[in-house]
């Protein structure tokens, strides 16, 4: 039986975000091995660039560097590069499940940033859900007590910057093919981090480390590609909840690699965060459906 439509989109999305969890695990291992975050980021985007340069030509797609809004593409890509630097820096110190839970605040930030950037109207229900979601983040962060790790704030900054990137992606997706955005993301991250290699580059200590440097870009690039393919087969408003697969995979990898499971605060915060995120998704989905039918709905 051949899958198509929404079932295929869900599987592609789940595979894509699972690769992001694997990418984060590799970044954490390399960081713990002593490699500089900028070297890890450079390797991640350089391998991504090789994939991005090849993909359009494999299926006769558009020339990837031809954008109708190149400045917007450059700014958007610079944001995700900054977010990656923050994430790689924080991952060295945070448990995988904690980092993944904090990263899941990005959809909440997207809804928040859509108000000034896209001019969207957000009603009291979704604003309340956002407040509840950020309350869940406080359970994970635990500010003011001994277990609080300042690196959690760096991961939160990564999520906020990623959300701004995703907000701008909503604009670029309307004016440029996905292959163009995919290419710009890779080339900006690779080129921007390249000058730092003269100061921080360290030859991989062994074959295993070299393999991880190659794999981190492959998993990251293929993850982005699968997510793009998922959105071609199914609407974002329908498949969005399955992005939480990344959190579940991160928990599994944290147990597999580090023999560590989240503590009670992280479980509770994740539950609150996912619940509020699903509610926001439900409101977005209902709103989009009503707009398609031209039936007014409260937000």
């Amino acid at each position: 039986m051949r899958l198509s439509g929404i079932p295929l989109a869900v599987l592609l999305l789940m595979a894509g975000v699972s690769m992001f969890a694997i990418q984060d695990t590799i970044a954490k291992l390399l960081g713990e091995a002593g490699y500089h975050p900028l070297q890890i980021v450079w390797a991640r985007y350089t391998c991504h660039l090789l994939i991005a340069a090849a993909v359009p030509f494999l299926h006769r797609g558009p020339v990837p560097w031809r954008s109708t809004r190149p400045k917007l593409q450059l700014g958007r890509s610079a944001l995700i590069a900054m977010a990656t630097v923050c994430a790689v820096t924080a991952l060295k110190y945070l448990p995988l499940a904690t980092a993944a839970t904090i990263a899941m605040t990005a959809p909440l930030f997207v809804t928040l940033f859509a108000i000034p950037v896209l001019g969207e109207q957000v009603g009291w229900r979704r604003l309340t859900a956002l407040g509840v979601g950020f309350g869940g983040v406080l359970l994970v962060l635990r500010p003011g007590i001994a277990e609080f790790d300042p690196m959690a704030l760096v991961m939160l900054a990564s999520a906020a910057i990623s959300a701004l990137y995703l907000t701008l992606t909503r604009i670029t997706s309307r004016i440029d093919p996905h292959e163009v955005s995919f290419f710009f993301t890779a080339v900006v991250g690779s080129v921007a981090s390249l000058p730092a290699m003269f100061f921080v580059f360290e030859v991989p200590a062994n074959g295993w480390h070299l393999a991880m440097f190659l794999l981190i870009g492959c998993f990251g690039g293929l993850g982005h590609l699968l997510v793009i393919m998922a959105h071609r087969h199914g609407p974002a408003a329908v498949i969005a909840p399955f992005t939480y697969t990344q959190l579940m995979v991160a928990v599994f990898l944290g147990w597999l690699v580090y023999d560590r499971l989240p503590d009670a605060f992280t479980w509770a915060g994740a539950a609150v965060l996912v619940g509020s995120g699903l509610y926001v998704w439900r409101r977005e989905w209902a709103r989009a459906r009503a707009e398609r039918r031209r039936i007014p709905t409260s937000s």
Side-chain angles (χ1 to χ4, degrees):
M1 181 178 179
R2 186 175 179 180
L3 287 175
S4 62
I6 291 176
L8 177 59
V10 168
L11 287 178
L12 289 170
L13 184 69
M14 292 175 67
V17 298
S18 296
M19 288 193 175
F20 293 153
I22 298 172
Q23 167 200 266
D24 290 346
T25 305
I26 296 173
K28 181 174 177 62
L29 289 170
L30 288 171
E32 292 173 341
Y35 296 100
H36 197 281
L38 288 176
Q39 181 175 349
I40 299 172
V41 170
W42 174 77
R44 182 254 181 271
Y45 281 108
T46 299
C47 293
H48 181 169
L49 178 59
L50 296 177
I51 298 173
V55 166
F57 300 102
L58 292 178
H59 62 86
R60 299 180 182 179
V63 177
W65 52 83
R66 290 183 180 174
S67 169
T68 55
R69 296 279 299 276
K71 291 182 179 179
L72 182 61
Q73 286 283 12
L74 290 171
R76 163 192 162 278
S77 300
L79 286 171
I80 194 59
M82 292 169 55
T84 305
V85 172
C86 291
V88 170
T89 302
L91 277 165
K92 179 179 178 179
Y93 304 95
L94 296 176
L96 286 170
T98 301
T101 301
I102 297 171
M104 288 297 101
T105 59
L108 302 182
F109 279 116
V110 167
T111 301
L112 201 59
F113 292 158
I115 301 173
V117 177
L118 302 178
E120 291 188 2
Q121 298 294 321
V122 178
W124 67 270
R125 293 182 181 87
R126 279 189 288 168
L127 287 175
T128 301
L130 293 179
V132 172
F134 287 119
V137 175
L138 290 178
L139 285 174
V140 179
L141 297 181
R142 282 162 282 181
I145 62 177
E147 289 81 2
F148 172 66
D149 190 333
M151 279 294 158
L153 296 179
V154 178
M155 195 69 201
L156 188 63
S158 174
I161 298 170
S162 296
L164 187 54
Y165 153 82
L166 291 170
T167 304
L168 294 181
T169 299
R170 290 189 181 183
I171 300 175
T172 58
S173 64
R174 301 168 188 162
I175 58 177
D176 284 332
H178 292 306
E179 292 87 351
V180 174
S181 296
F182 187 58
F183 177 81
F184 268 84
T185 298
V187 74
V188 170
S190 178
V191 172
S193 57
L194 180 60
M197 294 306 98
F198 292 102
F199 306 98
V200 304
F201 182 80
E202 182 180 345
V203 177
N206 51 54
W208 173 237
H209 288 179
L210 176 61
M212 286 197 291
F213 273 115
L214 294 174
L215 288 173
I216 190 172
C218 292
F219 280 113
L222 288 174
H224 277 286
L225 183 60
L226 288 170
V227 170
I228 288 172
M229 292 171 63
H231 285 84
R232 285 178 175 171
H233 291 278
V238 175
I239 65 176
F242 294 94
T243 57
Y244 291 112
T245 302
Q246 182 175 347
L247 178 57
M248 294 185 288
V249 175
V251 170
F252 172 73
L253 291 174
W255 168 78
L256 182 67
V257 178
Y258 294 96
D259 193 24
R260 181 173 183 176
L261 290 173
D263 58 21
F265 279 98
T266 303
W267 280 121
V272 172
L273 182 60
V274 170
S276 63
L278 289 175
Y279 180 81
V280 170
W281 160 79
R282 179 180 175 277
R283 297 298 304 175
E284 293 277 5
W285 179 81
R287 184 167 171 265
R289 185 179 181 184
E291 287 180 354
R292 288 195 299 270
R293 296 181 176 182
R294 295 186 178 182
I295 301 175
T297 183
S298 62
S299 47

